[in-house]
Amino acid sequence: MKKYFLIPALAVTIILICLQFIRPKVDNPPVTGDLQAPEQVKAILVRACYDCHSNQTNLRWYDKIQPVYWQVANHVREGRKGLNFSNWDKLAPADRKGKLWEAINQLEEGAMPIKSYTFVHSNAKVSKQDLAVLKNYLAGMVHDMPNDTSKIHALDKQLQAKAAQERQKLPESPNGITYLPDYKSWQVISTSDRFDNETMRVIYGNEIAVKAVKEHHINPWPNGTILAKSAWDKIEDTNGNVTTGAFKQVEFMIKDNEKYKSTKGWGFARFKTPKLTPYGKDAMFTTECINCHKPMHENDFVFTFPIKN
Amino acid sequence: MKRISTFIISAFAIFISCKQASNPDQLINQKASLPDHFKLSELHQKVITSFISKKDSTMSILYGNHEAYNALDSNVPSSLSGVSATLVTWRQQDDPHWFGARIPGDLLAVETIKAAGTGKNTVLNYQRYTGKQLVKLADTTGRAGRIKFIMSQQASILP
């Protein structure tokens, strides 16, 4: 009886030993410009994020055991691609801010750090107090700017250009999604006041989406659902009245389980400025979309908290 | 070593299996939703603009028919005949899904404007409904001011 177990166990052990010699490469490229933040904030980010989101990866001996090492190497590679605090200088100031808000939201939703990582590296866990420190830091970056002349100017420019606009062909996103002009007459399912990036948004749903909200069938949303989200600058007067400024973009999420299988059943597209310039260099831009939506995996990857009307 | 990796893999599997999809009923923003009797979606009005009052912590969406849209779109000469508009106002709440955003919370009021008559004889009728159940308000104080406020909004740029 013992023999039956001995042979497979021996085989597995040999395979595991052999695997140790096949090693992925995890190097630390130079730090071109590290994130600058108050000491307390930085310490939390370094502890919780830097192993995968910087060029200062600090692997422990147990990270380097195969087959775990493959996964670790993959996490570092993918992590750096999505967010790298060591190349902070390569990002425009607005993008740095955007990345930080996104990162803190990922932490708050518990999507980051990855559970399997904190299971082994328990010191990387982000406590409620840590999160409060990070949120305070970000909240401190929000400043009111009444009568912002640059924003007013941007709106005026768009208003003047409006009459001259004539569109022959509908723009197409790199993943093949064509701009859907009809969303403007769809019903609204929510609106959002984004103080993190000084925009305000209206979220529209097509008929299938609105019906799904009415019937509470939104987890998952039915195939054929389309959500559209348009965003504008916020223009604030001295009395705290905020109105829509220049048009920033419109984003679509189209539900089709088969067609968009690789991005969790959702087709993503974004068209920027009144010119409706498609976002993304190539079809791979959707990785960025789904990564940001990942914390919402329990809500079918949708952030919007819809209103019935 | 094998035990460590088996342990890690099984622990990871447990973490994944613990995740459950949220209840769809909890995913609807109930307190911001309109009561069933107020059939806003059946009016088929489109969004003209949206605005926020930081002082009152409220956010609003102004809907309207084609005539209302034209009247509030700066590039089109305005006429009031046929105008029908609906302004919905909510108290703001923090977005439970995104730190950095505020979304509609309690439904506060719906105000409607409807034109009666044609040409120079056009008058705008105003009605206000308040509270979660949108109770029709008989009080007409301040209506001229509200009509003026609503009709002074500028349509958002939507290419």
Side-chain angles (χ1 to χ4, degrees), chain B residues 124-136:
Chain B
L124 294 176
N125 291 318
Y126 171 87
Q127 184 58 55
R128 184 180 174 88
Y129 305 83
T130 57
K132 175 71 189 153
Q133 283 311 312
L134 293 181
V135 180
K136 196 169 174 173

Side-chain angles (χ1 to χ4, degrees), chain B residues 97-117:
Chain B
H97 297 155
W98 187 264
F99 170 65
R102 295 184 198 98
I103 60 167
D106 290 318
L107 176 65
L108 296 178
V110 168
E111 293 158 274
T112 60
I113 284 182
K114 273 197 187 77

Side-chain angles (χ1 to χ4, degrees), chain B residues 10 15 32 36 42 46-49 58 61-62 82 136-137 155:
Chain B
S10 51
F15 270 116
D36 287 340
E42 285 174 22
K46 61 183 212 166
V47 177
I48 298 176
T49 188
T58 60
I61 294 183
L62 178 61
K136 196 169 174 173
L137 228 66

Side-chain angles (χ1 to χ4, degrees), chain A residues 187-189 210 214 307-309, chain B residues 32-47 61-64 85-90 107 110-112 134:
Chain A
Q187 293 297 309
V188 168
I189 58 166
V210 171
K214 279 191 176 153
I307 294 167
K308 270 199 283 188
N309 60 21
Chain B
S33 291
L34 278 80
D36 287 340
H37 66 81
F38 199 95
K39 300 190 182 327
L40 179 66
S41 55
E42 285 174 22
L43 293 176
H44 295 290
Q45 297 183 338
K46 61 183 212 166
V47 177
I61 294 183
L62 178 61
Y63 300 80
T86 311
L87 178 66
V88 185
T89 302
W90 295 273
L107 176 65
V110 168
E111 293 158 274
T112 60
L134 293 181

Side-chain angles (χ1 to χ4, degrees), chain B residues 15-30:
Chain B
F15 270 116
I16 290 169
S17 61
C18 282
K19 298 273 185 241
Q20 268 179 7
S22 310
N23 179 354
D25 292 342
Q26 288 167 359
L27 287 177
I28 305 286
N29 189 348
Q30 301 281 5

